[in-house]
Amino acid sequence: MENKKLLKSGEFLVAEITPEDIFIPEEFNEEQRMIAQTCRDFLEAEVYPNMTNLEKGDRELMKSILKKSGELGLMGVSIPEEFGGFGQNFVTQMLVAETTGAGYSFSVAYMAHCGIGTLPIMYYGNKDQRERYVTKLATGELLGAYCLTEPGAGSDANSGKTNAKLSEDGKHYILNGQKMWITNAGFADTQVVFAKIDNDRVLSAFIVERNYPGVVIGADEHKMGIKGSSTAQIFYNDVKVPVENLLGKRGEGFRVALSILHMGRLKLGANVIGAAKKTITDSVKYANERKQFGVLISTFGAIKHKLASQVVRLYASESAVYRVSSDVDLLMDKLKADCGDYGRTAIESISHYAVEAAILKVYGSEALDYVIDEAVQIHGGMGYSAEMAVERGYRDSRINRIFEGTNEINRLLVVDTAMKRAMKGDFDLFGVAEKFYQNMDMITDGNSGNESYYDEKFKFIKNFKKVILLIIHGATKHFDKDFIREQEVMNNISDMIIETYVSESTLLRVGKIENMKGPDASSIYKEILDVKVYDAAAKIRKSAYDAVNSFASVELAGRLTRAVDTLTAVSGINIKDARRKIADKLIEDNYYRF
Ligand SMILES: Cc1cc2nc3c(=O)[nH]c(=O)nc-3n(C[C@H](O)[C@H](O)[C@H](O)COP(=O)(O)OP(=O)(O)OC[C@H]3O[C@@H](n4cnc5c(N)ncnc54)[C@H](O)[C@@H]3O)c2cc1C
């Protein structure tokens, strides 16, 4: 692990790595597989049989299932033994997030508790706070919630009005305000609440217990999906919060909130692949049972196209998820030596990968929406029936594009954060971009004539990066300081970055499988890679065109689009056959097993 090349966040835009530098799901060890199996067994035994009652909004039932998962140890995965958990590395944490992701609204309640409800205290709390709260949150003795959003403060999280004032005797903060959309509000024992002390410009964070006088929990919201998870408003009326419950330093709350959001985005990226795997299995099982025109619908090309497209998106997402997860572990190992405290080291390593976290969040949530939408379609009229799991999945999926920062905010973050990191000197983005820009009329596709399969694919990815750099340079040159206000163009760039990162992750994974297991074992994955790169090239070309035609003169647009055409020309593959091969494996397995 130590010899792997570790890139900084966003550096992939200008740097190259090899398959050996990344971790792939095929490398899970026995212990990790057993942990994943325990999660799957738990969903089968405790969650799925109770799903109908959970959907009726039975808070007590959700609470009891959460507590059972705690008794089984599932809540302690991210917590060191010293504080009641069994301290697994980040890859394992993400595997647990993935596996429990197939648990519909249970998954939302569980992830909110284990992640945003518990980890701010683990990462930013002092020893006393960790001992009082984390030890019990890690076992499910206490259940947690995270209270950032307010009626007037959603995406603009720092604009909240909840206020804290030190009492005259200096023993308490007096908390007043209102939070909304709080997951687990109905039963959580502890809340991490963000508020401004006096007239501070930035937030501070507090640990608030549900039983403190003045804490009032509203009724559950009537939601489109994840109906089993409790979501409510919480009101704070002169709540006396002991000064010992200030989390981190005064004014550190916004930093806590942002870094926990980075963590939440990474975990959401893992969570949605669990949901997508279950959905694809539900889709193929139905397609393998349902007959029309005298044959199984899985024999129709139109259905194969859908099944294969579901697989490709999921596979790409999964490849990116575990690539980033192991980067976090590697960084954590590196930082451990400098920083004694586990919590601070963990959150520093996690929040370093802010660009990749936003990528996983956006790509994963949109991949799941695609997968579940096509699952409903494959089920035809039955997909619209509340009796079917895909109907629930369709409603439950939609929230992933809204919470942990909306996808609009995350798309902007991808570009903004990468550029800020480059300006800080983490890597040379602007120098390389300028070089390509100056030479745009000489750009070739880099084809040497007799490249190997992998050389060619690496060349495509390199070319996609060149397109991104050309557009970044062209757009920032044109808009200058106003670039940040040109959200449509930033979105175009973001989409290109996202497609490039997940395509590269897929390539690295398939290359590593071939290195590990040989060409026979990798052949089906090459089909996935072919489709992914083919689709990505088309998307990147479209996004680049949109960006260019938003700022360039006719003459410049002509030159830039010629370069874009050259750089996004991927060699002809029989895309229909590639998709059919992928679908045929899925149909034969009758289960998602890639
Ligand atoms: C079921 C559910 C559970 C939740 N759980 C929690 C929880 O446990 N704790 C918690 O604190 N919060 C929670 N939330 C809140 C959630 O994080 C917010 O809803 C989310 O951050 C968006 O805020 P908002 O709803 O105020 O939308 P707004 O911020 O009002 O956004 C409205 C629209 O404007 C867009 N927009 C906003 N700002 C910009 C911008 N600068 N540029 C471009 N577009 C922009 C958004 O992308 C969106 O499309 C939950 C929400 C839901 C629905």
Side-chain angles (χ1 to χ4, degrees):
M1 206 133 151
E2 294 73 36
N3 297 328
K4 287 183 175 171
K5 183 170 172 186
L6 181 62
L7 300 183
K8 295 196 167 137
S9 184
E11 194 181 355
F12 64 87
L13 287 168
V14 290
E16 284 165 45
I17 57 169
T18 69
E20 300 318 313
D21 293 319
I22 71 156
F23 176 87
I24 61 173
E26 288 71 16
E27 295 177 287
F28 287 135
N29 62 31
E30 202 45 44
E31 190 189 2
Q32 288 169 322
R33 287 176 206 279
M34 272 170 52
I35 293 172
Q37 191 54 47
T38 306
C39 296
R40 274 191 285 274
D41 292 345
F42 184 80
L43 294 185
E44 290 291 344
E46 305 292 343
V47 177
Y48 298 146
N50 285 309
M51 215 55 240
T52 308
N53 287 333
L54 281 175
E55 286 247 294
K56 288 181 187 150
D58 188 337
R59 285 177 173 180
E60 285 307 310
L61 179 61
M62 178 61 89
K63 193 172 156 181
S64 74
I65 299 175
L66 284 169
K67 285 195 176 276
K68 275 188 195 161
S69 77
E71 285 157 20
L72 206 64
L74 298 183
M75 288 177 165
V77 182
S78 314
I79 308 296
E81 280 176 28
E82 188 189 351
F83 298 106
F86 62 108
Q88 296 293 305
N89 67 9
F90 198 68
V91 167
T92 312
Q93 293 177 35
M94 293 285 269
L95 178 60
V96 169
E98 176 200 317
T99 319
T100 52
Y104 303 96
S105 42
F106 165 78
S107 156
V108 173
Y110 167 83
M111 291 302 292
H113 164 81
C114 297
I116 56 180
T118 299
L119 292 178
I121 312 178
M122 181 59 232
Y123 293 153
Y124 290 96
N126 55 34
K127 192 162 185 290
D128 164 61
Q129 290 168 340
R130 288 172 181 173
E131 274 165 2
R132 277 191 293 138
Y133 296 109
V134 175
T135 51
K136 294 179 182 156
L137 290 162
T139 58
E141 192 182 328
L142 293 178
L143 296 175
Y146 173 90
C147 309
L148 179 63
T149 307
E150 298 185 13
S155 300
D156 185 8
N158 197 40
S159 65
K161 295 205 170 8
T162 300
N163 185 260
K165 283 195 187 338
L166 195 61
S167 62
E168 277 180 13
D169 61 7
K171 290 187 176 159
H172 294 93
Y173 285 100
I174 311 296
L175 193 67
N176 279 288
Q178 176 185 358
K179 296 288 172 179
M180 77 181 296
W181 297 120
I182 304 307
T183 303
N184 293 348
F187 47 73
D189 307 286
T190 59
Q191 304 156 8
V192 173
V193 181
F194 295 87
K196 285 176 186 160
I197 298 176
D198 298 332
N199 294 321
D200 286 0
R201 279 190 315 108
V202 281
L203 298 166
S204 297
F206 300 87
I207 307 165
V208 177
E209 295 183 21
R210 173 194 181 79
N211 295 328
Y212 289 165
V215 175
V216 178
I217 315 287
D220 274 339
E221 304 287 348
H222 294 290
K223 305 191 294 289
M224 174 195 292
I226 53 164
K227 288 174 185 281
S229 96
S230 163
T231 317
Q233 298 198 36
I234 305 183
F235 302 87
Y236 302 95
N237 304 317
D238 289 328
V239 178
K240 285 166 83 175
V241 182
V243 286
E244 303 83 58
N245 279 21
L246 175 68
L247 184 60
K249 298 191 193 84
R250 175 174 179 166
E252 203 183 9
F254 193 50
R255 187 166 153 229
V256 175
L258 288 187
S259 55
I260 291 299
L261 280 171
H262 295 316
M263 185 274 305
R265 285 163 195 157
L266 289 166
K267 296 253 167 105
L268 185 146
N271 214 226
V272 290
I273 58 182
K277 280 183 184 176
K278 178 172 190 308
T279 305
I280 295 177
T281 294
D282 289 345
S283 304
V284 71
K285 280 188 187 299
Y286 187 81
N288 274 340
E289 279 167 14
R290 173 74 174 165
K291 278 188 174 170
Q292 282 297 279
F293 301 96
V295 292
L296 291 171
I297 62 167
S298 59
T299 60
F300 297 134
I303 298 293
K304 289 188 184 194
H305 178 101
K306 292 183 193 304
L307 291 170
S309 302
Q310 289 176 316
V311 169
V312 171
R313 279 173 168 79
L314 166 55
Y315 192 86
S317 201
E318 188 186 39
S319 308
V321 160
Y322 289 102
R323 171 182 177 186
V324 186
S325 311
S326 122
D327 285 351
V328 170
D329 276 327
L330 287 171
L331 185 58
M332 223 179 290
D333 279 349
K334 258 175 90 169
L335 295 182
K336 237 185 237 163
D338 308 332
C339 176
D341 184 69
Y342 164 81
R344 295 286 173 139
T345 312
I347 193 60
E348 213 176 298
S349 312
I350 290 165
S351 47
H352 174 80
Y353 285 99
V355 177
E356 291 76 3
I359 291 175
L360 295 191
K361 199 272 173 179
V362 173
Y363 188 82
S365 61
E366 293 179 6
L368 177 60
D369 261 3
Y370 177 88
V371 165
I372 191 70
D373 184 75
E374 288 293 37
V376 169
Q377 199 66 18
I378 289 167
H379 281 69
M382 283 310 289
Y384 211 70
S385 161
E387 280 174 30
M388 304 304 281
V390 291
E391 184 267 352
R392 176 183 302 126
Y394 185 81
R395 289 184 286 103
D396 286 1
S397 166
R398 191 62 181 81
I399 186 60
N400 292 301
R401 282 162 57 193
I402 297 171
F403 57 21
E404 303 293 359
T406 64
N407 281 17
E408 290 71 35
I409 295 291
N410 274 291
R411 275 196 161 81
L412 298 172
L413 274 177
V414 168
V415 183
D416 192 47
T417 314
M419 286 177 52
K420 281 192 180 132
R421 297 283 171 97
M423 274 182 232
K424 207 181 92 193
D426 277 7
F427 52 93
D428 180 17
L429 179 81
F430 301 106
V432 182
E434 187 173 7
K435 210 173 83 197
F436 286 135
Y437 195 82
Q438 303 297 355
N439 296 311
M440 78 170 102
D441 300 318
M442 270 103 76
I443 278 175
T444 68
D445 65 0
N447 199 345
S448 66
N450 56 349
E451 297 156 312
S452 73
Y453 175 85
Y454 289 105
D455 285 346
E456 187 182 46
K457 288 288 187 287
F458 275 110
K459 182 196 69 190
F460 292 151
I461 300 296
K462 222 169 151 177
N463 287 347
F464 295 167
K465 293 181 186 179
K466 285 184 189 169
V467 176
I468 296 167
L469 296 176
L470 273 180
I471 305 299
I472 288 181
H473 188 84
T476 50
K477 199 168 128 117
H478 180 85
F479 293 118
D480 198 15
K481 288 194 174 57
D482 289 333
F483 175 70
I484 200 77
R485 277 192 280 279
E486 299 295 330
Q487 293 192 344
E488 298 90 331
V489 176
M490 286 179 80
N491 279 346
N492 296 146
I493 296 170
S494 189
D495 284 341
M496 294 191 283
I497 294 176
I498 293 169
E499 281 299 327
T500 301
Y501 186 77
V502 298
S503 300
E504 183 178 61
S505 303
T506 310
L507 165 59
L508 293 165
R509 178 180 180 185
V510 176
K512 191 161 193 183
I513 292 175
E514 179 147 336
N515 293 346
M516 282 163 61
K517 302 182 180 173
D520 286 348
S522 66
S523 69
I524 190 69
Y525 304 110
K526 284 181 174 166
E527 307 292 347
I528 294 178
L529 179 60
D530 281 347
V531 178
K532 181 63 227 160
V533 172
Y534 177 94
D535 284 349
K539 284 187 187 152
I540 290 168
R541 191 180 317 120
K542 168 80 167 76
S543 297
Y545 267 55
D546 284 0
V548 166
N549 290 312
S550 301
F551 69 80
S553 65
V554 175
E555 188 269 335
L556 179 61
R559 290 167 62 209
L560 276 168
T561 50
R562 265 193 299 282
V564 169
D565 284 345
T566 305
L567 294 169
T568 54
V570 296
S571 62
I573 51 167
N574 188 326
I575 194 72
K576 181 203 65 173
D577 281 357
R579 287 210 180 90
R580 277 203 180 174
K581 284 179 195 154
I582 298 163
D584 285 343
K585 170 173 161 53
L586 181 67
I587 290 163
E588 198 187 323
D589 292 349
N590 201 27
Y591 199 88
Y592 181 89
R593 196 175 286 126
F594 282 88

